């Protein structure tokens, strides 16, 4: 018997328990142990029903990450599942915590499934560029029908135990506290009611008569919402096989499709994104066990769109918030906007009216800095003006208690200069949220020169508590994300100067996999934001500040983007679809004439290379300067903050995949033909190419 799977007898019930911390992943020892324990249960003449359950905080997860990239050792999971399903004694899965991926496939192999009410069930493989490869695409439709199976498998999101019962995945939901006890109770029900063994693979009542048009319609929908993705389309193929083929043939088809996903570059990118999201929490140079300051209450300064969104993040996590504004009307409007956001969420059925009131009750509006005297964390979220921010921090230095963390949400300004306004620079840190703050998952935490280690550990932890992916970076203009974005934006504008149209540039970027193009994104955020930042840099005499361009001219005309109905594109009332605008085309043509530029035809490939290679080159400089410690930090910032397609793994991973020599050749070519500091090759990029290494090797 395996030491991670035990078999024991409780009365007339044989109990198979997986105990493989932390998540009971289906590694080799677990797979081998399940088969051995099943054999023991079948050979035990004293028992007539078997229960499969798990120790610890959860049922079974999917593959063991410790075995990723290694050849699979027998028994492989599909064979283990076939053994379970062929049990001659009734077999019950008793589920608590989560049954995800291979864990749910194990449960589907059992003859009955019971779960505690707090459990969640799902097949999330599509998020890793895969499909359920151990019968999940063949068994789930037989339980819940093809359409609902398609929703679960292509979406990858878990469902509650209650939803699982309603769908037909579960046979019972138990309100007890122990999955084992729930399993034992159901075992007695099997005896009392003489419930027959009915393997899922033999059921077809939920799939007989499925309209073939369902699959064509589903593929059409995916072509709009997931047109770049490989795995969701293969999931549809697999579920269609469940409906149209005998079970054994469907399993063979599932295996073929699973292997095609394994071979896809998208799978590599999504796996990299998956592991990198976890790795960013482990900060190199921050000692393990660094103490964390207690954050029981926070204050947000500024009740605008950003400040209100940040306040919602903390209220959503049950943390009391004081929301400060300078003027009564701004404060009233800010609180009203928060309520509208919550009520809109409630209308979608994602919050109850009671939850709306609970969260609103956690947000206490104020006009007085004196009310911030006892909070544990303050986040300043006013507009980008150094003088105003320093004035605020000087006030916070006076009113906040010792040990309070003083954070700024600045997206570009120097944290160290802001810290000079206080007598406690060790408590000052950047916490750069992304708009809309209550939706976007990225939190770019910025380490100042004198920021204390326990402050860094605390803001990383608080990011986790409020559901963010927190990445720690260093101080420079724009930090990591915006510094790279500004280079891409500069290049996009230059491409239009040279002859491309804004819509051509945006189409190339969205065809690559971004949800929005550079210019459509600018209109959404408001082009006045970048314009004001550039103006501040120009006024300050920054030699790297870009010259006045056609986007600045649009902003000067009050065309700020979607919020004014016109920006780089025009917008019909009530419609966010960007439409080309002849007025913008005329303005661009006039600027070209002023500068003596004859527009030329620009290929999509040139647009792609100039927009992406400039980002990779800047990312290499960021790594070289130590602003980001690892290339995966940059990848996660761009995936979660800027919509870089996760299936490509992030900009630095993508560069590794296409070859750094290819990128460097392009950078050198554009440096020779276009000039500009942004095209000066990064010494790190040159060194890696010379040594035949990748960013991942650093």
């Amino acid at each position: 018997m395996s030491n991670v799977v035990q078999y024991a007898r409780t009365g007339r019930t044989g109990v198979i328990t997986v105990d493989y911390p932390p998540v009971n992943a289906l590694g080799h020892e677990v797979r081998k142990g399940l088969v051995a324990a099943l054999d023991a249960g079948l050979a035990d003449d004293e028992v007539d029903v078997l229960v499969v359950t798990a120790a610890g905080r959860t049922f079974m997860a999917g593959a063991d990450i410790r075995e990723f990239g290694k050849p699979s050792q027998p028994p492989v999971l599909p064979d283990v599942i076939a053994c379970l399903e062929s049990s001659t004694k009734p077999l019950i899965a008793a589920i608590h915590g989560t049954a995800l991926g291979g864990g749910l496939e194990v449960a589907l192999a059992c003859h009955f499934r019971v779960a505690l009410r707090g459990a969640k069930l799902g097949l999330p493989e599509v998020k890793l560029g895969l499909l359920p490869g151990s019968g999940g695409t063949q068994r789930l439709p037989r339980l819940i029908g093809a359409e609902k199976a398609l929703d679960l498998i292509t979406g990858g999101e878990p469902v509650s135990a209650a939803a699982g019962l309603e769908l037909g995945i579960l046979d019972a939901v138990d309100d007890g506290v122990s999955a084992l006890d729930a399993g034992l109770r159901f075992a007695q029900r099997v005896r009392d009611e003489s419930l027959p063994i009915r393997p899922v693979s033999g059921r077809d009542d939920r799939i007989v008569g499925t309209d073939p048009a369902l699959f064509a319609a589903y593929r059409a929908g995916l072509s709009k919402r997931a047109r770049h993705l490989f795995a969701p389309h293969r999931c549809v193929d697999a579920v269609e096989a469940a409906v149209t083929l005998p079970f054994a043939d469907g399993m063979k088809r599932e295996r073929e499709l699973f292997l095609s996903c394994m071979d896809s570059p998208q799978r590599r990118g999504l796996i990299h994104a998956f592991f990198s999201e976890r790795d960013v929490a482990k900060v190199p140079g921050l000692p393990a066990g660094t103490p964390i300051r207690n954050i029981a209450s926070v204050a947000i300064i500024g009740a605008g769109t950003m400040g209100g969104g940040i306040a919602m993040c903390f209220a959503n996590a049950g943390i009391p918030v004081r929301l400060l504004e300078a003027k009564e009307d701004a404060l009233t409007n800010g609180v009203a906007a928060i309520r509208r956001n919550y009520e809109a969420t409630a209308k979608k059925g994602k919050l109850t009216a009671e939850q709306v009131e609970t969260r609103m009750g956690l947000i206490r509006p104020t006009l007085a800095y004196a009310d911030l005297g006892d909070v544990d964390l303050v986040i300043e979220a006013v507009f980008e003006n150094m003088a105003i921010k320093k004035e605020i921090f000087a006030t916070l230095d006076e009113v906040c208690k010792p040990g309070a963390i003083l954070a700024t949400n600045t997206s570009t300004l120097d944290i160290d200069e802001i810290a000079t306004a206080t007598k406690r620079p060790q408590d000052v840190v950047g916490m750069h949220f992304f708009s809309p703050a209550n939706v976007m998952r990225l939190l770019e935490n910025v380490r100042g020169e004198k920021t204390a280690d326990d402050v860094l550990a605390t803001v990383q932890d608080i990011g986790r508590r409020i559901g963010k992916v927190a990445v720690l970076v260093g101080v420079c203009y724009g930090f990591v994300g915006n510094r790279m974005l500004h280079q891409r934006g500069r290049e996009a504008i230059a491409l239009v100067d040279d002859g491309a149209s804004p819509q051509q540039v945006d189409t190339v970027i969205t065809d690559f996999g971004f949800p929005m193009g550079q210019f459509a994104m600018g209109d959404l955020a408001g082009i006045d934001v970048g314009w004001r930042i550039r103006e501040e840099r120009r006024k300050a005499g920054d030699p790297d500040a870009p010259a006045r361009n056609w986007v600045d001219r649009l902003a000067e005309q009050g065309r700020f983007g979607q919020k004014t109905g016109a920006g780089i594109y025009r917008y019909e009332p009530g419609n966010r679809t960007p439409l080309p605008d002849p007025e913008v085309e005329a303005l661009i043509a006039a600027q070209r004439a002023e500068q003596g530029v004859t527009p030329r035809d620009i290929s999509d490939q040139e647009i792609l290379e100039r927009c992406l290679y400039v980002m990779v080159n800047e990312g290499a400089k960021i790594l070289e300067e130590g602003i980001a410690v690892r290339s995966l930090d940059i990848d996660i910032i761009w995936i979660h903050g800027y919509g870089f397609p996760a299936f490509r793994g992030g900009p630095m991973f993508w560069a590794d995949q296409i070859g750094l020599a290819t990128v460097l050749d392009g950078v050198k070519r554009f440096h020779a033909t276009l000039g500009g500091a942004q095209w000066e090759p990064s010494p790190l990029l040159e060194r890696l190419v010379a040594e035949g290494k990748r960013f991942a090797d650093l």
Side-chain angles (χ1 to χ4, degrees):
M1 192 74 63
S2 165
N3 60 356
V4 297
V5 182
Q6 290 85 40
Y7 173 77
R9 187 189 308 130
T10 300
R12 293 165 56 199
T13 303
V15 179
I16 299 168
T17 305
V18 176
D19 188 2
Y20 186 49
V23 293
N24 297 312
L26 289 160
H28 175 245
E29 287 299 312
V30 173
R31 298 194 302 271
K32 186 171 67 173
L34 280 170
V35 173
L38 176 65
D39 289 343
L42 294 175
D44 189 346
D45 293 335
E46 299 297 317
V47 305
D48 54 4
V49 180
L50 301 174
V51 170
V52 178
T53 189
R57 66 175 190 265
T58 189
F59 190 64
M60 290 173 230
D64 186 351
I65 62 173
R66 287 165 279 201
E67 295 180 5
F68 267 55
K70 300 176 183 177
S72 185
Q73 299 181 62
V76 294
L77 187 56
D79 292 344
V80 173
I81 285 174
C83 288
L84 293 171
E85 192 175 56
S86 66
S87 169
T88 54
K89 294 180 180 179
L91 186 62
I92 302 163
I95 300 166
H96 71 295
T98 57
L100 301 177
L104 181 56
E105 289 181 300
V106 166
L108 294 176
C110 296
H111 306 132
F112 306 98
R113 285 154 296 283
V114 59
L116 297 185
R117 190 163 295 279
K120 291 187 178 297
L121 322 165
L123 294 170
E125 286 88 348
V126 71
K127 295 187 175 184
L128 298 181
L130 297 169
L131 56 77
S134 298
T137 67
Q138 304 305 295
R139 290 186 175 88
L140 188 62
R142 286 172 161 81
L143 282 179
I144 68 174
E147 185 171 7
K148 291 175 180 176
L150 283 169
D151 291 342
L152 285 179
I153 294 170
T154 63
E157 296 296 332
V159 297
S160 67
L165 179 63
E166 183 178 353
L167 285 167
I169 301 173
L170 299 175
D171 297 287
V173 171
D174 193 288
D175 288 312
V177 296
S178 163
L180 174 57
D181 289 346
L184 294 174
R185 281 190 286 272
F186 198 88
Q188 191 57 45
R189 177 181 163 189
V190 169
R191 296 186 189 96
D192 293 344
E193 299 179 19
S194 300
L195 297 178
I197 292 175
R198 192 182 176 201
V200 174
S201 63
R203 305 185 192 183
D204 62 4
D205 53 296
R206 299 301 298 273
I207 57 175
V208 168
T210 299
D211 186 348
L214 167 67
F215 302 101
Y218 220 91
R219 289 186 178 98
L222 285 175
S223 69
K224 295 178 181 178
R225 67 180 184 271
R227 66 189 179 104
H228 298 290
L229 298 178
F230 182 78
H233 296 270
R234 305 294 80 73
C235 291
V236 177
D237 295 342
V239 174
E240 186 175 34
V243 170
T244 58
L245 299 175
F247 182 79
D249 293 340
M251 287 293 294
K252 290 178 183 177
R253 180 64 175 145
E254 179 191 79
R255 175 54 42 173
E256 292 169 0
L257 293 165
F258 177 81
L259 292 175
S260 71
C261 290
M262 285 290 291
D263 289 339
S264 167
Q266 293 192 2
R267 191 266 309 175
R268 292 191 288 275
L270 289 164
I271 291 285
H272 170 75
F274 176 82
F275 285 115
S276 295
E277 184 177 320
R278 284 145 183 79
D279 288 343
V280 293
K282 306 163 190 171
V283 179
L286 191 62
T290 300
I292 293 174
R293 299 188 189 184
N294 181 47
I295 305 297
S297 62
V298 303
I300 311 299
I301 300 176
T305 301
M306 181 61 78
I310 297 172
M312 291 175 70
C313 293
F314 287 94
N316 293 347
I319 300 172
V321 181
R322 292 181 195 159
L323 184 61
L324 183 143
E325 256 294 353
K327 296 181 179 178
E328 181 74 47
D329 59 343
L331 186 60
T332 300
N333 291 338
V335 173
I338 293 172
R339 177 171 286 281
R340 284 195 301 273
N341 279 332
Y342 277 138
E343 290 178 347
T345 303
K347 285 181 181 178
K348 296 175 184 176
K350 297 180 179 179
L351 284 178
T352 65
E354 183 181 4
Q355 287 173 319
V356 170
E357 296 308 320
T358 297
R359 295 181 189 193
M360 288 301 302
L362 288 168
I363 300 173
R364 174 182 155 193
T366 180
L367 297 170
Y369 273 92
D371 286 340
L372 313 188
D374 61 347
V375 300
D376 303 306
L377 166 67
V378 182
I379 302 173
E380 165 272 311
V382 305
F383 58 89
E384 294 287 84
N385 181 288
M386 178 61 79
I388 292 175
K389 289 182 186 289
K390 290 177 75 171
E391 181 181 340
I392 289 171
F393 272 75
T395 303
L396 294 176
D397 195 44
E398 295 296 325
V399 303
C400 291
K401 68 181 182 182
I405 295 175
L406 311 181
T408 174
N409 180 57
T410 182
S411 58
T412 58
L413 300 180
D414 188 338
I415 306 293
D416 294 325
E417 184 176 347
I418 293 172
T420 63
T422 77
K423 301 180 186 67
R424 47 173 116 174
Q426 73 280 1
D427 293 333
V428 177
V429 69
M431 293 182 72
H432 177 208
F433 289 78
F434 287 70
S435 187
N438 54 304
V439 175
M440 296 293 286
R441 292 190 66 206
L442 179 65
L443 173 60
E444 202 177 31
N445 285 327
V446 187
R447 179 202 306 251
E449 181 183 0
K450 297 182 180 178
T451 308
D453 279 354
D454 64 337
V455 170
L456 299 176
T458 302
V459 294
Q460 287 291 104
D461 179 71
I462 200 70
R464 176 193 58 77
R465 285 176 60 190
I466 62 175
K468 301 299 183 187
V469 179
V471 185
L472 190 63
V473 302
V475 173
C476 68
Y477 178 80
F479 315 127
V480 171
N482 279 344
R483 176 170 161 179
M484 293 170 67
L485 180 65
H486 290 168
Q487 295 295 9
R488 192 185 80 176
R490 177 185 293 193
E491 208 56 34
I493 291 169
L495 281 159
V496 173
D497 291 339
D498 291 343
S501 67
Q503 51 268 32
Q504 183 191 4
V505 173
D506 278 2
T507 297
V508 170
I509 290 173
T510 55
D511 283 349
F512 181 76
F514 281 90
M516 299 185 77
Q518 176 73 32
F519 297 119
M521 182 183 69
D523 272 358
L524 175 64
I527 63 174
D528 55 315
V529 177
W531 166 58
R532 289 194 173 100
I533 291 172
R534 291 189 292 274
E535 283 291 283
E536 287 292 321
R537 293 180 69 186
R538 288 190 279 260
K539 289 175 184 176
D542 184 344
D544 293 326
R548 185 168 169 266
N549 55 52
W550 56 269
V551 177
D552 293 330
R553 292 186 179 187
L554 291 172
E556 289 164 3
Q557 295 174 12
R559 295 179 58 121
F560 294 161
Q562 288 190 15
K563 59 190 172 186
T564 59
I568 297 168
Y569 299 101
R570 65 181 180 86
Y571 300 87
E572 298 291 349
N575 193 327
R576 292 176 175 267
T577 303
L579 302 170
D581 191 335
E583 290 186 23
V584 176
E585 294 169 5
L587 184 147
I588 292 168
Q591 178 167 300
R592 288 172 182 156
E594 289 173 16
Q595 296 176 345
V597 173
T598 301
R600 61 182 176 87
D601 289 336
I602 296 180
S603 70
D604 289 353
Q605 184 63 26
E606 180 181 344
I607 292 172
L608 182 68
E609 291 180 359
R610 284 174 64 175
C611 286
L612 293 180
Y613 289 1
V614 76
M615 288 170 52
V616 174
N617 193 47
E618 196 67 25
K621 293 174 183 178
I622 286 169
L623 287 170
E624 194 169 24
E625 296 166 18
I627 302 301
V629 180
R630 302 160 294 190
S631 60
L632 65 87
D633 294 324
I634 297 175
D635 288 336
I636 290 301
I637 285 170
W638 266 85
I639 288 170
H640 288 296
Y642 300 87
F644 197 98
F647 66 84
R648 297 192 188 274
M652 313 312 280
F653 181 85
W654 172 78
D656 278 346
Q657 300 309 297
I658 68 168
L660 296 190
T662 299
V663 176
L664 180 60
D665 286 346
V667 169
K668 288 180 174 179
R669 182 173 72 253
F670 293 129
H671 187 234
T673 57
L674 303 173
Q678 73 272 24
W679 288 116
E680 290 180 4
S682 156
L684 173 62
L685 181 58
E686 292 184 306
R687 176 169 64 81
L688 290 174
V689 171
E691 296 174 357
K693 294 181 178 178
R694 307 168 303 157
F695 290 122
D697 296 323
L698 293 174

